[in-house]
Amino acid sequence: MGNEHSSSKGSKKKLPHIKKVRFDQNVLRANLKMGVIRFQSLRGKKTNQVLDRKREIAQLLAKKNEELANIKVEGLIHDENFITCIDILGMLCEKVIERVSFLAESPECPNDMVSTLQTIIYAAAPSECGEMLKVREQLFAKYGADFTLRALENSDELVNRVVISRIGIGIPSQLTKNARLKQIADENEIEYTPNEDVLSNLQNFDNVNEAASMERQEFERNQMGGSDAASTYSASSYQSGMSYQSNMSGGQQYQGGQFQGGQQQFQGGQQFQGGQQFQGGMN
């Protein structure tokens, strides 16, 4: 992942290279729509990787090859974090699609869209979605360097907290890796006994997931707070056929193709349920 977001306090950070373009709402809208489709594709690929990684790790634990399992679990954690991020980014893109015309007519970024747009700018590079870089170019053209820099630095502290905690993170701690291995072992009824520190960290995982679930609900309520007619976006309607639970810091639960707690409500008049159906690849 990129290192655009690493900066020390008190130092003025330079903008990454962003191609200078003229703002065009049609270009912005087109790339947002393509970005949603791209995220569906990425989600399907990462979902399959998660299933394969978990199966491989379970086999390694069953064979008592804990050293190799410890290496493999890093990729699993990374993929689970990434899935969480692109689900959120997909929802935010849908929200912006409904507001493009309004944004084009507004000389300044509306207050209720600052967090959404800054999150998209912040996550554009590490999202592995080329369309998001095009979206960032359009937002840079519309709102200027200062707005873009504040987003990349999160100096306004408005970038989505789950995205910050999950995207572009470094190597997970050993406690985190061991705790995830313990969970996989338990799911597959494999005998695996980590040390006491790991067992204690498992309780922290439970507490983090509970806090993240509450944060997710708050995030959804905030998106429903505007005056536009509500639209429905189901971030997990892709046909993955998986049973998945994200267990890292800031996690959220996903099972059987949809988030527990139902669909996510967003501003706008359009109904979106996962866009094109996706199962392991682009339709």
Side-chain angles (χ1 to χ4, degrees):
M1 292 294 187
N3 57 2
E4 288 184 2
H5 305 142
S6 59
S7 62
S8 57
K9 288 187 176 180
S11 63
K12 188 64 176 177
K13 183 175 149 184
K14 292 183 179 180
L15 277 170
H17 174 71
I18 300 177
K19 182 180 178 181
K20 293 184 178 180
V21 298
R22 178 175 296 181
F23 177 75
D24 185 328
Q25 62 174 303
N26 293 322
V27 173
L28 175 59
R29 183 183 290 107
N31 279 285
L32 287 165
K33 290 181 177 180
M34 286 299 298
V36 170
I37 295 173
R38 184 77 64 188
F39 284 141
Q40 293 174 31
S41 175
L42 286 170
R43 170 178 245 291
K45 292 176 183 177
K46 296 295 182 180
T47 292
N48 289 335
Q49 287 180 15
V50 164
L51 294 174
D52 290 342
R53 289 184 193 274
K54 289 180 70 175
R55 189 160 38 244
E56 182 181 10
I57 291 168
Q59 292 172 352
L60 290 171
L61 291 176
K63 295 176 182 178
K64 306 299 182 183
N65 192 345
E66 297 178 9
E67 183 175 353
L68 185 54
N70 183 68
I71 296 173
K72 296 290 186 179
V73 80
E74 290 182 11
L76 172 65
I77 292 171
H78 178 275
D79 286 345
E80 290 176 328
N81 282 339
F82 188 80
I83 288 171
T84 299
C85 288
I86 62 176
D87 282 340
I88 293 174
L89 290 173
M91 290 188 287
L92 296 181
C93 285
E94 279 297 315
K95 179 181 178 182
V96 179
I97 288 169
E98 296 303 317
R99 305 289 296 275
V100 167
S101 297
F102 176 68
L103 294 176
E105 296 172 357
S106 303
E108 302 292 335
C109 181
N111 290 335
D112 64 339
M113 293 295 291
V114 173
S115 177
T116 295
L117 298 184
Q118 288 197 354
T119 299
I120 290 174
I121 291 171
Y122 181 94
S127 71
E128 300 182 15
C129 178
E131 288 78 9
M132 289 299 97
L133 295 177
K134 297 293 185 181
V135 169
R136 187 175 71 174
E137 289 174 2
Q138 287 295 313
L139 296 177
F140 175 74
K142 175 65 176 174
Y143 298 115
D146 183 64
F147 182 87
T148 305
L149 184 61
R150 295 204 318 270
L152 292 172
E153 293 182 330
N154 192 28
S155 56
D156 298 331
E157 298 184 352
L158 293 174
V159 175
N160 181 275
R161 290 173 291 179
V162 176
V163 170
I164 290 175
S165 68
R166 295 294 192 95
I167 204 161
I169 63 171
I171 298 174
S173 70
Q174 190 59 53
L175 278 178
T176 298
K177 291 189 288 185
N178 287 349
R180 191 70 183 96
L181 290 174
K182 173 61 175 172
Q183 290 172 328
I184 293 172
D186 290 346
E187 291 169 5
N188 292 274
E189 299 181 350
I190 298 170
E191 184 178 350
Y192 171 72
T193 306
N195 58 42
E196 292 183 1
D197 288 338
V198 172
L199 294 174
S200 175
N201 200 43
L202 282 171
Q203 181 60 47
N204 292 337
F205 266 42
D206 292 339
N207 294 338
V208 164
N209 282 336
E210 182 179 356
S213 178
M214 295 175 63
E215 180 173 323
R216 177 84 184 190
Q217 294 172 16
E218 178 186 356
F219 171 70
E220 294 162 11
R221 286 195 300 269
N222 288 341
Q223 304 310 312
M224 294 170 62
S227 59
D228 289 15
S231 67
T232 305
Y233 175 88
S234 178
S236 307
S237 59
Y238 319 124
Q239 295 182 356
S240 57
M242 66 183 286
S243 178
Y244 162 86
Q245 179 175 358
S246 175
N247 293 292
M248 277 56 60
S249 174
Q252 63 204 36
Q253 292 185 337
Y254 169 88
Q255 287 191 337
Q258 66 182 69
F259 282 105
Q260 294 180 357
Q263 297 174 330
Q264 320 303 321
Q265 302 296 322
F266 279 86
Q267 298 171 8
Q270 196 175 27
Q271 187 178 58
F272 180 87
Q273 295 227 350
Q276 298 176 341
Q277 288 187 330
F278 176 85
Q279 189 168 15
M282 293 284 287
N283 274 353

